[in-house]
Amino acid sequence: AQSVTQPDIHITVSEGASLELRCNYSYGATPYLFWYVQSPGQGLQLLLKYFSGDTLVQGIKGFEAEFKRSQSSFNLRKPSVHWSDAAEYFCAVGARTGRRALTFGSGTRLQVQP
Amino acid sequence: GAGVSQSPRYKVAKRGQDVALRCDPISGHVSLFWYQQALGQGPEFLTYFQNEAQLDKSGLPSDRFFAERPEGSVSTLKIQRTQQEDSAVYLCASSLSSGNYEQYFGPGTRLTVT
């Protein structure tokens, strides 16, 4: 069965510092890959996605992620964090065929210090 | 345009009561998903509709959970004889077509069973 691991439950960074959130997946084949952000009391907003092609994908709000097949990873990065980036971040995978449901990791809570 | 909306946003039910949660997807979106998000966890898939057809209900945790989308638009998730373990945020998502993997999420309904 597919699974998604986000090893960091909670990360604190200073405003202006760089950020990397880790995501590893276990899957039979390369899935579709997503990063979502959830602010308190809000639904999930799609930050970026990887379907195929260039393994470095750009998203909204200055985020990017790199797909590394050999490591089964899809880490999220941002060069300079803003206080408004404080939120919960979820990595998710979806099958390329068949089942349409997304499988999510358990999330990483990002705290930004002034 | 309008995003996915859900109502009510908050629901408190006494154990044993039935509840109904509503989802209004983005207009024209063919696919609709329900997820359950327990506190501190990532969303977990419950069920999937393509138009009015429920194509996947493998995630429904028990026969107390029932979902419908009779006209291929609004969907209702019903939970009968609620139990404390049903307390969670219930998220609805929609996507444009069965072949489109970008899911747009609503704000969720927070269900508390006392």
Side-chain angles (χ1 to χ4, degrees):
Chain A
Q2 61 262 38
S3 65
V4 179
T5 302
Q6 294 182 245
D8 304 305
I9 296 172
H10 189 194
I11 282 183
T12 301
V13 300
S14 299
E15 190 168 15
S18 63
L19 172 71
E20 182 168 26
L21 302 182
R22 296 182 290 166
C23 173
N24 292 93
Y25 64 89
S26 174
Y27 212 79
T30 301
Y32 294 129
L33 297 155
F34 306 85
W35 274 99
Y36 284 86
V37 61
Q38 187 177 38
S39 298
Q42 304 296 313
L44 290 96
Q45 182 183 20
L46 180 65
L47 284 176
L48 48 75
K49 60 188 183 289
Y50 173 77
F51 287 174
S52 64
D54 193 345
T55 56
L56 184 64
V57 294
Q58 303 296 320
I60 62 170
K61 305 185 180 188
F63 285 93
E64 66 178 27
E66 185 173 12
F67 166 58
K68 292 186 177 179
R69 185 191 308 272
S70 62
Q71 299 177 19
S72 297
S73 69
F74 189 56
N75 293 349
L76 182 72
R77 301 196 293 247
K78 187 169 185 179
S80 177
V81 168
H82 187 261
W83 64 266
S84 60
D85 293 325
E88 186 104 25
Y89 291 80
F90 293 96
C91 181
V93 302
R96 289 178 179 266
T97 59
R99 198 165 188 253
R100 290 287 182 267
L102 296 180
T103 300
F104 286 84
S106 55
T108 297
R109 178 163 298 279
L110 174 65
Q111 207 166 5
V112 180
Q113 286 182 333
Chain B
V4 178
S5 61
Q6 293 185 244
S7 61
R9 292 293 312 277
Y10 303 92
K11 176 70 179 177
V12 179
K14 291 190 190 306
R15 190 171 56 182
Q17 282 185 333
D18 297 349
V19 298
L21 312 180
R22 177 188 169 105
C23 172
D24 282 86
I26 294 172
S27 178
H29 276 200
V30 166
S31 299
L32 186 145
F33 303 79
W34 284 99
Y35 292 84
Q36 180 190 58
Q37 185 176 20
L39 190 64
Q41 299 297 315
E44 292 194 355
F45 170 75
L46 293 176
T47 188
Y48 159 62
F49 289 87
Q50 184 175 316
N51 294 306
E52 68 278 5
Q54 189 175 20
L55 298 186
D56 187 349
K57 52 182 181 179
S58 62
L60 295 176
S62 77
D63 59 8
R64 295 187 297 104
F65 286 70
F66 171 76
E68 60 183 6
R69 193 185 185 199
E71 297 178 359
S73 178
V74 170
S75 177
T76 304
L77 176 67
K78 298 179 179 178
I79 308 173
Q80 298 177 323
R81 304 181 303 281
T82 53
Q83 317 261 325
Q84 280 195 309
E85 62 262 29
D86 301 335
S87 296
V89 175
Y90 291 85
L91 295 166
C92 176
S94 68
S95 66
L96 182 59
S97 69
S98 60
N100 187 303
Y101 288 80
E102 291 187 33
Q103 295 183 21
Y104 297 87
F105 283 80
T109 295
R110 180 176 296 279
L111 172 65
T112 302
V113 182
T114 61

